Amino acid sequence: MIEQGVLNEISGLLKDALRKQLDIPRASTTYGSPGKPGLPKPVSGRYPTPISKPYASGNLYKNLNVKFQEDSQSGIPELLLEMPLEGYFVNEGRRPGRYPPTGPIDRWVVQKQSVKAIRDAKGRFIPRKTLVFLIRRSIGKYGYGGNDFIMKAYNSIQNKILDKYGDYVAGYLQFQIEQLIDKLR
């Protein structure tokens, strides 16, 4: 059995690694498959595929929590990753198909500083309502690629855990991460 102090240290390492992954700017991509980005999002010939700042409101970053909790049935510590719903979509992406709801996209546009000053071909600012429609249409048509930040965070600390705690703890943690991702999907 792994000591609670060791599990707390590991959960702290994993939380820091998850936050570092969320801080990395990434290009906008189409949906590839769960957790995998696809091709760069098609944009008009005037602009390259934008690389956006990592987050708008910081809700996911602030409300991310990692802990181990003893499973009531088996008595074995189980990895719990507490995060807002958008964490699922950031990790897995969204398939193309239907337009997403207006409310969350509108709130995102209001919070996202880089989106506010977008201009059309004639140099005029694009109204927020139009911008929300264009973003919804793009997501409905192309989806968007996930960045698999959970697995990337684990991979970034895997060697540190292996060196510090050994094969048993590293294998146990990898099993717990895989279980967690399976629950997400």
Side-chain angles (χ1 to χ4, degrees), residues 59 66 179:
N59 186 37
V66 180
Q179 292 288 334

Side-chain angles (χ1 to χ4, degrees), residues 147-165:
N147 64 23
D148 201 21
F149 76 98
I150 297 172
M151 223 34 217
K152 288 178 182 176
Y154 169 69
N155 290 338
S156 71
I157 63 168
Q158 185 177 16
N159 288 336
K160 188 184 292 186
I161 290 173
L162 188 63
D163 293 343
K164 193 169 183 178
Y165 304 111

Side-chain angles (χ1 to χ4, degrees), residues 44-55:
S44 68
R46 295 179 25 174
Y47 305 105
T49 300
I51 294 181
S52 79
K53 291 184 178 179
Y55 45 83

Side-chain angles (χ1 to χ4, degrees), residues 29-49:
T29 61
T30 61
Y31 181 79
S33 63
K36 306 291 183 233
L39 302 171
K41 273 231 176 157
V43 291
S44 68
R46 295 179 25 174
Y47 305 105
T49 300

Side-chain angles (χ1 to χ4, degrees), residues 97-171:
R98 298 184 342 193
Y99 285 19
T102 305
I105 303 297
D106 190 36
R107 283 191 300 276
W108 181 82
V109 166
V110 169
Q111 293 170 343
K112 192 81 168 177
Q113 295 298 319
S114 62
V115 175
K116 290 182 181 177
I118 293 184
R119 297 175 183 255
D120 65 8
K122 295 181 181 176
R124 299 174 297 195
F125 286 110
I126 297 175
R128 187 175 95 203
K129 202 171 187 181
T130 304
L131 197 56
V132 169
F133 168 75
L134 293 172
I135 292 168
R136 289 180 65 226
R137 183 178 69 183
S138 173
I139 293 171
K141 187 172 183 180
Y142 303 109
Y144 60 84
N147 64 23
D148 201 21
F149 76 98
I150 297 172
M151 223 34 217
K152 288 178 182 176
Y154 169 69
N155 290 338
S156 71
I157 63 168
Q158 185 177 16
N159 288 336
K160 188 184 292 186
I161 290 173
L162 188 63
D163 293 343
K164 193 169 183 178
Y165 304 111
D167 287 339
Y168 176 73
V169 174

Side-chain angles (χ1 to χ4, degrees), residues 1 7-8 18 40 62 66 88 96 105 111 145 158 163:
M1 191 64 144
L7 294 176
N8 290 341
L18 287 166
K62 291 178 214 164
V66 180
Y88 168 78
I105 303 297
Q111 293 170 343
Q158 185 177 16
D163 293 343

Side-chain angles (χ1 to χ4, degrees), residues 14-15 17-24 26 35-36 60-61 64 81 83-84 86-92 146-156 177 181 184:
L14 189 55
K15 183 176 180 178
L18 287 166
R19 285 187 168 171
K20 284 179 187 170
Q21 284 297 317
L22 289 173
D23 276 336
I24 298 172
R26 292 185 167 83
K36 306 291 183 233
L60 176 58
Y61 188 87
L64 187 68
L81 176 60
M83 63 182 172
E86 60 259 27
Y88 168 78
F89 294 107
V90 170
N91 192 62
E92 298 295 313
N147 64 23
D148 201 21
F149 76 98
I150 297 172
M151 223 34 217
K152 288 178 182 176
Y154 169 69
N155 290 338
S156 71
I177 294 280
I181 290 174
L184 280 176

